[in-house]
Amino acid sequence: MTVARTATAEQVGKYLASLLRGRQDVSELHVLQSSGVIELWLIVSPGSIGAEFELHSMQRRLLQQFPEQSIDLRIHDVSRLGISGVSASVPHNAIQIEI
Amino acid sequence: MEFDDHRDAAAADRNLTIARYLLENRLDRLGSPAYEWVVIVSFYSAVRCINAWIQLKHDRPPVNHGERFRAILNDPALQELLEQDSLLRSWSEQARYTSPASAFSFDHASMALQFAQSIRDHVRSTDESV
């Protein structure tokens, strides 16, 4: 099913959360409506490069579900976030979506 | 204009060469191999390559990553490249802004270069077949 033409960042985030529910390798999801683009940050801890690559299929799922939107999903491995952690990689005004 | 004549195609090839040199650790004055830069340069090779294709076929390049992802999905010639491009983008961003250099191994660097090269080969072969 394809949803309404103009989805909000929160709607896109909740759709992604529904796809990820129950996964042990996903910890946080944040969304932000920017100028013309819905941005999402997914914080993950995949067990392998292959598992990380597979998570990037979510980019395709979102674009297919919301065909009228520009969507930009970033997937960040928590082990690579450095000492400043999630706060360094996600804008302070992004909204966290429960998974 | 042919794909190979586009300035972004030339930039993509130059970036691939730089990434290959970095992977082979030709910067011998560094204390450790610059695998994080292999990831970064590989990503920019992929971006310039895909942008060149999109501009030639659709008259204007994407202005941000969201537009590029959309253009990749909507173009039958590019859509199989979406996950590779998405992974390269995320790795590159982490390498530039948040990760220690040690976060990227030889395996990461090899895969990034392989993806960038396969994107280049795919776009070139597609251009030759149309």
Side-chain angles (χ1 to χ4, degrees), chain A residues 20 22-28 42-47 51-52 54-55:
Chain A
L20 298 169
R23 289 188 71 133
Q24 301 301 308
D25 56 354
V26 173
S27 55
E28 291 184 33
L42 187 62
I43 309 302
V44 302
S45 48
E52 187 174 2
E54 188 267 329
L55 279 164

Side-chain angles (χ1 to χ4, degrees), chain B residues 18-19 22 30 34-42 95-96:
Chain B
I18 293 169
L22 289 169
L30 285 176
Y35 294 141
E36 78 279 23
W37 281 101
V38 178
V39 168
I40 294 165
V41 179
S42 295
R96 280 177 289 142

Side-chain angles (χ1 to χ4, degrees), chain A residues 37 49 52-53 56-57 59-60 63-64 66-67 69-72 74-77 80-82 88-89, chain B residues 64-67 69-70 73 79 82-84 86-87 89-91 93-94 98-99 103-104 108 111 115:
Chain A
V37 185
I49 295 177
E52 187 174 2
F53 181 75
H56 282 267
S57 65
Q59 191 88 255
R60 183 182 299 272
L63 291 167
Q64 288 172 334
F66 302 98
Q69 304 281 162
S70 277
I71 293 174
D72 184 356
R74 296 167 170 87
I75 299 176
H76 287 187
D77 184 336
R80 291 192 211 109
L81 288 179
S89 61
Chain B
N64 55 43
H65 296 302
E67 267 197 21
F69 292 139
R70 170 65 63 200
L73 186 73
Q79 56 188 214
L82 183 63
E83 283 79 9
Q84 294 181 18
S86 178
L87 181 77
R89 182 280 176 84
S90 283
W91 281 4
E93 193 169 272
Q94 291 167 80
T98 59
S99 301
F104 292 94
H108 291 101
M111 182 170 276
F115 281 174

Side-chain angles (χ1 to χ4, degrees), chain B residues 1-7 56-57 127:
Chain B
M1 181 191 287
E2 298 292 317
F3 175 79
D4 280 338
D5 297 328
H6 195 286
R7 66 175 185 275
L56 287 170
K57 304 303 173 189
D127 187 55

